[in-house]
Amino acid sequence: MKFTLKLIGILTSAFLGICLFFFILGGFIFGWDHPSCDEDSEAVRYARSLSEERLELLYHQMHDYSLSEDTPFGGYSRLQNNELPDEFSDLKVVKVRPKQGNIMVQGCFDHYVYLAFNGLHDSLEKEIVLSYGEFPVLTEVLWRSE
């Protein structure tokens, strides 16, 4: 009886291991989409493509939403079927978090593409900073108030 249970356990583990191997291999062979958050990623290119006018408007919209009592603390997430407000619906992003002052453009395994909104509630310079990549995280200012 013990031998049979041990054999079943070994066969089950082997089967799951083989399935995992083919799942990972299939991703490489068939090119299943894996998000990228590196400098040459689609998410970084998208963030850089936002016009100066859209970035300025986006900053003001984030400011207004950050002050609103109706804005959920966790913000809005497409991942949780929490639709973005109309002001942000044109954006190709994952999360909008006005209370934290950031937008997640893309989330990867352990790194992200973010837009950070500096100066929303203090006297710091008002700017939108793009950050991306793994350690060290790279940053660049996309918009700054005049």
Side-chain angles (χ1 to χ4, degrees):
M1 183 71 169
K2 283 185 179 182
F3 175 76
T4 305
L5 290 176
K6 209 178 237 189
L7 182 62
I8 290 172
I10 291 171
L11 291 174
T12 303
S13 296
F15 175 75
L16 292 175
I18 291 169
C19 288
L20 181 61
F21 172 77
F22 282 112
F23 178 76
I24 292 170
L25 183 64
F28 290 110
I29 291 173
F30 299 113
W32 293 336
D33 195 21
H34 299 287
S36 171
C37 293
D38 297 325
E39 183 174 9
D40 61 345
S41 70
E42 185 178 325
V44 170
R45 283 193 304 274
Y46 170 72
R48 288 178 176 152
S49 76
L50 295 171
S51 71
E52 184 81 14
E53 294 80 20
R54 181 59 181 116
L55 290 168
E56 182 175 4
L57 177 60
L58 184 58
Y59 188 91
H60 295 294
Q61 291 168 331
M62 284 289 283
H63 181 260
D64 292 345
Y65 268 83
S66 72
L67 297 175
S68 173
E69 292 180 16
D70 294 334
T71 301
F73 183 78
Y76 309 94
S77 172
R78 290 187 196 263
L79 298 176
Q80 299 167 346
N81 292 329
N82 186 357
E83 289 194 24
L84 303 180
D86 289 340
E87 290 84 352
F88 306 113
S89 64
D90 66 310
L91 300 174
K92 298 175 188 171
V93 298
V94 177
K95 293 181 183 179
V96 175
R97 297 186 284 210
K99 299 283 187 189
Q100 287 80 19
N102 65 58
I103 292 177
M104 180 194 294
V105 179
Q106 178 70 56
C108 299
F109 297 110
D110 61 351
H111 56 292
Y112 309 89
V113 175
Y114 268 104
L115 296 175
F117 293 74
N118 296 334
L120 285 177
H121 303 118
D122 51 39
S123 61
L124 295 176
E125 191 161 27
K126 298 178 182 337
E127 61 186 12
I128 301 174
V129 178
L130 171 65
S131 62
Y132 53 88
E134 292 189 72
F135 185 78
V137 174
L138 303 173
T139 62
E140 62 187 82
V141 175
L142 293 183
W143 177 86
R144 184 175 284 141
S145 67
E146 296 177 10

